[in-house]
Amino acid sequence: MAEAKDGSGDSCGRRRMAASLVMHVSPEHQPKQLTGRGALSVVRRAVVRPASEFIDGDDPPSGNGTRPRTPVLELVEPEPPLMMEPEPPLMMEPDPPLMMEPEPALVMEPEPALMMEPEPALMMEELDPTEPCSDTGSAKSPVPQDLVSLEGSPKSPHCPVWLEEEENQDEDSENDDSGDEYSIPSLPPLRKQEESDGAEEKEPTTVSVNRDKISAVNEADWHKNRMAAVSSICFEELLHNHTEYKSTKSSVAAFILEKELTDGGGRCGEVYEVVALGTGQSCYSGWLSYTGTVVHDCHAIVIARRALKRYLYKQLLLFHSTEPQLRQHSIFESGTDGKPLQLKPKIYLHLYTNHTPKGAAQRPLITLNGGNYESLKLNCFAKGSLVPASEVPISVSGARVCTMADSDKLTRWTVTGVQGALLSHFIQPLYITSATLAGPSSSYYEHVSDTINKRLGEGWQGALRDPYKATGIFFLPGDNIGPLLPSSRCKDLSINWCRGDSCIEVVDAITGHTLDCSPFVSGPGLRSRLCKRALYFGFRKLASLSGQQDLLAFATYSSAKMAAQLYQEAKATVNQRFSVNDAGPWNSKQLVDSFKR
C-alpha cells in the first residue's frame, strides 16, 4: 500500500511536471492557425500526447478508467480575438480619401472661365483696324461676311476692312470661328441665307457672294442692314472722345456712297463708305441775318446734306489736282459732250436716317381725280413751330428766318439733285438712290415713299431739260441705331462731319453758330463750316483751281446761285408743280443770300 501510495504520489508529481513542461513547449508544438476550413478551430495535437511520450511507470489513461485532468488543454487554447478577429482597418478598410475620393476640383470641375467663357471682346467685338465695334456694343449685328468694306469709320479712310464669305476653307481652319461673325451696337444678328440648288453642301470659299443671284427681298435686307451698320460705326468712332454728345444719335442722318469694285480675281463686291453725317432736330428761328454766317436749319437730313456738299468740294479739288495719284482717287470723271463732271460708274448715293422727315411725310396721302395728289401743304418752321407755308404772315417771313420742312426738300431733291446751285456749275445732278428709314418712320416707310415720290403728280416730266430728270428714292425700313430721345443738354445741338474732316463740329441750333467748346472751331466768330459763307469760299477756291475765272466775277452769293441756269429751271418746275397742287409757296431766302464775298 505504501508502495502504491508512493507510486501514486510519484504519478501525481510526474503529472505536475508534465503540465509545467507543456507550458514551456517548443514553438513547433504550439497551436497553429490553418488557412482552410479549419482555420477557425484550434489544433490540439501538441497537447494530447501519445502513449510513447509518457514516462515509464506512468500508465496512459485507458478507455475504461477515468480520464485524467489535462489542464494543458485549457492553458494553451488561444483567445479567440487573436485568431478570429483580426483588426479590420489593416485588411478591410483602407484609407478612403486615398483610393476612393480624389479631390473633385482637380479632375471634375475645371475652372469655367478658362474652358467655357472666352472673353467676349475677342470673339464678338474685334473689328480692327477700322472700328472696335463697341457700344454699339456693338454690333454688335454680325455683319455678313460678303466682300464688303466697312469704311464708315473716319479714322482709316484708306484702310477698308474686308469681310469675305468663304466658300472653300482649308481643313485646318474648318474649326476656326474666331472671325465667324462681327457685331454692331444696337443691331440684331443677321446671317444671309444662300439659296440651295439641291446639290451637296460645300465648304465656304473665298469667293464673294454674287448679289445678282440674291432675291430682291434678301438684297434689300442686305442693303438696309449695311446702311445702319456703317452709320453706327462712323458715329461711334467720331464721338469716341466726346461722349457728352452721344445722345444726339437720337436724330442722325448719313450719306453713304456704295462703290462696286472688282478684285484681281474678277470677284465683285461693294464698298459702303459714310461720306457725310449730321444730327439735330431744331432750327434757327431768330431775325434774318445778311452775313451768311448763320446755319438756319439744323435738322439731321439737312445738316448731312450740307456736309455732303463739303465732301463734294473736296472730291472736285482732288479731280483738279496736278498730281495724277490724287486725281484718280476722286469719285468724279469727265462728262460727255461737254457736260459737267459726273460720278464714276458703279457709284451710288444712299441716305440713312432714324427720324421721320418733318412735314408732309407725316400726313396721309389722298389721290385726286386726275391722278394728281391732294395738296400736301408745304410746311416751314417759323418762330420755332412747323406751320403751313401759306399761313406764315408776311411780317414773319420778311423779318425772321423760315426754313422749309424736310419732306419738301426731299421731294425737290428728286428733281434738282442734292448738289445745290453752286456745285451745279461743276457737276451733273447727284440723285439719292435709296433711303433707309429707321425709328418710328420705319413702320410706315411706304407712305413716306409715296409722299416724297408722288406728290408732284404725273405728266410734267417733259418740261425738264437734260441732265435734270424726275427720279424716285427707293425707301426701306431699317434698324434704329440711337436712343429715342436726346438728353436735355443735347436736344438743341447739332453735329456735322464729312470725310476728310479732322473732327466733329458742334452747332447750337438756337443761335446757328458753333459752340465755343466744340472740338472744331473755325475762328473767333464761331461761324460754322457749314454756313453759306464757308461754302461760298469753297466754291470760289474750286473755280480758281479749275480755271473757270468767269465764276469768280459774281458779286454776291445769290448771283452765283442764279447763274446755274439749268438748275434754276428745274427748281422753278418743282415750285410750279407745288403751286398746281395748291401746296403753297416755297419760302425763298433771297435777301439772306445777298451777302458779298
Side-chain angles (χ1 to χ4, degrees):
M1 294 292 295
E3 291 179 1
K5 289 181 182 178
D6 292 340
S8 63
D10 291 340
S11 177
C12 291
R14 282 194 293 271
R15 291 191 184 100
R16 285 192 298 270
M17 185 181 298
S20 63
L21 289 175
V22 172
M23 294 179 62
H24 298 85
V25 71
S26 59
E28 60 268 18
H29 295 291
Q30 291 181 358
K32 297 181 180 178
Q33 181 178 3
L34 302 180
T35 59
R37 293 180 61 183
L40 299 181
S41 62
V42 179
V43 180
R44 303 176 184 270
R45 289 195 303 267
V47 178
V48 181
R49 295 173 294 169
S52 58
E53 292 183 8
F54 285 92
I55 304 173
D56 295 337
D58 187 4
D59 296 332
S62 62
N64 299 328
T66 302
R67 188 180 181 92
R69 267 180 77 233
T70 55
V72 178
L73 295 176
E74 297 178 1
L75 293 173
V76 299
E77 186 173 359
E79 293 186 10
L82 297 176
M83 303 305 294
M84 299 178 64
E85 296 182 8
E87 247 179 71
L90 296 177
M91 301 299 294
M92 305 286 293
E93 296 182 8
D95 195 353
L98 296 177
M99 301 298 294
M100 305 288 292
E101 296 182 6
E103 276 189 36
L106 297 176
V107 179
M108 302 181 65
E109 294 183 7
E111 214 174 304
L114 298 176
M115 303 297 293
M116 302 178 65
E117 295 182 8
E119 192 168 333
L122 298 178
M123 301 298 293
M124 300 188 64
E125 295 185 4
E126 187 172 308
L127 192 59
D128 290 334
T130 302
E131 164 67 16
C133 287
S134 58
D135 177 331
T136 125
S138 44
K140 276 171 202 179
S141 94
V143 179
Q145 300 173 9
D146 304 319
L147 189 60
V148 57
S149 170
L150 298 186
E151 282 195 342
S153 172
K155 279 193 174 180
S156 303
H158 304 297
C159 300
V161 177
W162 293 97
L163 306 178
E164 301 183 3
E165 183 172 10
E166 300 182 352
E167 294 183 12
N168 290 321
Q169 277 185 336
D170 296 334
E171 292 182 359
D172 296 337
S173 62
E174 188 175 12
N175 297 325
D176 183 11
D177 60 353
S178 59
D180 182 54
E181 57 186 36
Y182 295 85
S183 179
I184 299 214
S186 304
L187 298 179
L190 172 70
R191 289 184 181 275
K192 181 167 41 157
Q193 301 295 326
E194 299 283 348
E195 292 186 359
S196 174
D197 55 359
E200 183 179 354
E201 185 177 358
K202 298 181 180 180
E203 291 292 330
T205 66
T206 56
V207 179
S208 64
V209 174
N210 187 351
R211 289 184 62 187
D212 295 337
K213 297 181 180 180
I214 305 175
S215 66
V217 175
N218 287 338
E219 183 174 359
D221 290 340
W222 186 92
H223 171 75
K224 68 184 183 182
N225 282 281
R226 300 296 73 71
M227 294 287 291
V230 295
S231 300
S232 181
I233 290 173
C234 181
F235 183 92
E236 293 298 327
E237 187 65 35
L238 287 171
L239 275 74
H240 179 69
N241 296 322
H242 309 287
T243 57
E244 64 272 22
Y245 304 120
K246 274 198 171 183
S247 69
T248 58
K249 200 176 183 181
S250 62
S251 182
V252 62
F255 279 100
I256 300 164
L257 285 183
E258 176 192 2
K259 304 176 184 178
E260 293 186 6
L261 302 178
T262 304
D263 63 7
R267 299 171 298 184
C268 296
E270 295 80 21
V271 177
Y272 281 65
E273 182 180 50
V274 177
V275 296
L277 184 142
T279 71
Q281 55 182 8
S282 305
C283 61
Y284 173 75
S285 58
W287 302 104
L288 291 176
S289 173
Y290 306 102
T291 60
T293 59
V294 177
V295 178
H296 296 154
D297 194 343
C298 286
H299 288 87
I301 294 177
V302 178
I303 290 295
R305 185 248 186 171
R306 298 186 75 85
L308 176 65
K309 288 183 180 181
R310 296 187 65 249
Y311 172 76
L312 297 178
Y313 277 118
K314 293 178 181 181
Q315 291 296 312
L316 288 170
L317 292 175
L318 279 179
F319 179 84
H320 292 289
S321 174
T322 56
E323 300 182 20
Q325 292 182 349
L326 294 179
R327 183 170 181 172
Q328 70 179 1
H329 284 94
S330 175
I331 62 174
F332 292 107
E333 64 178 9
S334 299
T336 58
D337 300 331
K339 294 180 181 179
L341 302 181
Q342 62 186 11
L343 279 180
K344 290 180 179 179
K346 299 181 179 180
I347 297 181
Y348 311 97
L349 180 66
H350 304 290
L351 171 66
Y352 172 87
T353 181
N354 64 352
H355 77 288
T356 307
K358 297 293 191 296
Q362 299 171 312
R363 299 171 183 173
L365 195 66
I366 302 175
T367 306
L368 289 178
N369 292 330
N372 291 334
Y373 286 86
E374 184 181 9
S375 60
L376 292 173
K377 300 292 186 180
L378 292 174
N379 294 272
C380 66
F381 291 93
K383 300 178 67 174
S385 300
L386 182 64
V387 296
S390 58
E391 298 179 6
V392 178
I394 297 178
S395 58
V396 174
S397 61
R400 291 182 176 272
V401 173
C402 299
T403 59
M404 302 304 294
D406 309 6
S407 298
D408 305 332
K409 293 181 178 181
L410 280 170
T411 298
R412 191 166 78 172
W413 294 343
T414 62
V415 179
T416 63
V418 296
Q419 77 286 343
L422 292 184
L423 281 169
S424 296
H425 289 286
F426 306 101
I427 63 175
Q428 297 183 36
L430 181 58
Y431 295 107
I432 300 173
T433 301
S434 74
T436 302
L437 298 179
S441 59
S442 63
S443 60
Y444 53 92
Y445 70 96
E446 293 179 344
H447 165 70
V448 176
S449 176
D450 289 342
T451 301
I452 302 302
N453 294 322
K454 298 180 179 180
R455 64 190 300 205
L456 294 180
E458 300 291 340
W460 57 272
Q461 291 82 355
L464 298 173
R465 295 173 59 186
D466 188 58
Y468 292 90
K469 58 186 177 180
T471 64
I473 302 175
F474 183 64
F475 283 86
L476 288 168
D479 296 313
N480 190 12
I481 62 174
L484 295 179
L485 296 173
S487 65
S488 57
R489 176 182 181 182
C490 296
K491 65 183 181 66
D492 292 323
L493 298 183
S494 174
I495 290 174
N496 68 80
W497 171 88
C498 80
R499 182 159 295 278
D501 290 343
S502 59
C503 58
I504 61 173
E505 180 185 65
V506 183
V507 176
D508 184 354
I510 303 301
T511 63
H513 287 88
T514 305
L515 293 181
D516 54 2
C517 59
S518 171
F520 177 85
V521 178
S522 59
L526 297 179
R527 64 186 184 186
S528 171
R529 58 191 178 189
L530 296 187
C531 67
K532 294 176 179 290
R533 182 172 289 277
L535 295 178
Y536 190 41
F537 173 81
F539 167 80
R540 293 180 58 82
K541 182 177 181 179
L542 178 59
S544 176
L545 184 62
S546 62
Q548 302 183 51
Q549 299 298 321
D550 57 320
L551 299 180
L552 299 175
F554 300 116
T556 63
Y557 175 80
S558 177
S559 59
K561 290 176 63 176
M562 296 304 296
Q565 183 177 359
L566 293 178
Y567 177 87
Q568 295 298 334
E569 289 180 4
K571 187 173 74 171
T573 301
V574 174
N575 293 343
Q576 182 183 10
R577 292 305 304 171
F578 281 128
S579 178
V580 169
N581 291 337
D582 194 25
W586 189 283
N587 184 49
S588 149
K589 297 186 288 291
Q590 293 184 358
L591 293 178
V592 175
D593 293 342
S594 298
F595 63 91
K596 299 181 179 181
R597 59 181 183 272

